Amino acid sequence: MAMEIERKFLLPEYPERLIEEGQLKVLTRHSIDQTYLAIEDGQELRVRKITDLDTGEVTYTHTFKDGKGISRQEIEYFISAGLYNQMIEAVKAIPLVKTRITGVWNGTTVEIDLYTQLELTVLEVEFDSLEEAEGFVAPEWFGLDVSTEKKYSNKTVWKELQGK
């Protein structure tokens, strides 16, 4: 099982100026529909429909995560549209929809998530080690570090959409 080590920041505003100035280079833009199939005690099972906003290509993933905090175990793989649709139909849930902008700033890959159903924009940075994550000094424009604040986790936001 692979480890996902990431920090999340509450982005106060979309960094349009940094993009225009070439300081933040946009690599990809995707629309993501994310639905949880099961959530229990730090474990989650989810599916995603991912649409590339530049090419129109659509892919589907199935992900299992285990753990809490900035370091969690993760297994993710591609699935077919048919399997994705069967799982979505089975849970009859509202997907969490976000636009993800992946870019590079100062040699660091960043993912900016703009949520469409609520006023929330976050920036995530993934790391190769816990030491690297803990030693990372974020620039001011990243905003408040909310890496361990449960209310900003995707599964918490998704639960709120379901009225649970």
Side-chain angles (χ1 to χ4, degrees), residues 96-114:
L96 178 62
V97 180
K98 58 189 175 181
T99 298
R100 171 166 287 170
I101 310 298
T102 302
V104 175
W105 169 81
N106 201 25
T108 301
T109 300
V110 298
E111 295 176 333
I112 298 170
D113 288 343
L114 302 114

Side-chain angles (χ1 to χ4, degrees), residues 14-26:
Y14 188 73
E16 191 66 44
R17 183 182 59 78
L18 293 176
I19 294 169
E20 289 170 359
E21 293 174 356
Q23 293 181 49
L24 175 58
K25 182 179 181 340
V26 173

Side-chain angles (χ1 to χ4, degrees), residues 26-164:
V26 173
L27 302 176
T28 60
R29 300 176 322 115
H30 293 96
S31 176
I32 300 173
D33 290 17
Q34 182 165 304
T35 302
Y36 289 85
L37 308 173
I39 300 171
E40 184 177 329
D41 294 333
Q43 294 185 329
E44 61 190 64
L45 194 58
R46 71 162 194 236
V47 290
R48 280 180 169 173
K49 175 183 177 184
I50 305 166
T51 305
D52 186 307
L53 295 174
D54 297 314
T55 68
E57 180 185 6
V58 179
T59 56
Y60 304 88
T61 62
H62 185 256
T63 307
F64 169 75
K65 291 189 181 191
D66 186 17
K68 296 177 181 173
I70 67 170
S71 178
R72 302 185 295 167
Q73 295 183 349
E74 176 183 66
I75 299 173
E76 183 170 71
Y77 54 89
F78 291 102
I79 59 173
S80 68
L83 189 54
Y84 170 84
N85 288 326
Q86 287 178 42
M87 287 189 253
I88 291 299
E89 183 59 33
V91 296
K92 297 189 184 333
I94 301 165
L96 178 62
V97 180
K98 58 189 175 181
T99 298
R100 171 166 287 170
I101 310 298
T102 302
V104 175
W105 169 81
N106 201 25
T108 301
T109 300
V110 298
E111 295 176 333
I112 298 170
D113 288 343
L114 302 114
Y115 294 84
T116 60
Q117 296 130 312
L118 59 159
E119 288 189 31
L120 177 63
T121 303
V122 298
L123 181 146
E124 295 178 353
V125 181
E126 290 196 14
F127 300 92
D128 294 328
S129 71
L130 197 52
E131 295 77 24
E132 186 183 356
E134 290 170 343
F136 180 73
V137 178
E140 193 173 304
W141 71 267
F142 277 25
L144 181 67
D145 187 336
V146 294
S147 302
T148 58
E149 292 192 38
K150 188 177 175 182
K151 73 178 184 178
Y152 294 108
S153 76
N154 283 316
K155 62 185 167 195
T156 299
V157 173
W158 178 82
K159 279 185 198 176
E160 289 173 5
L161 283 176
Q162 311 312 307
K164 296 179 181 179

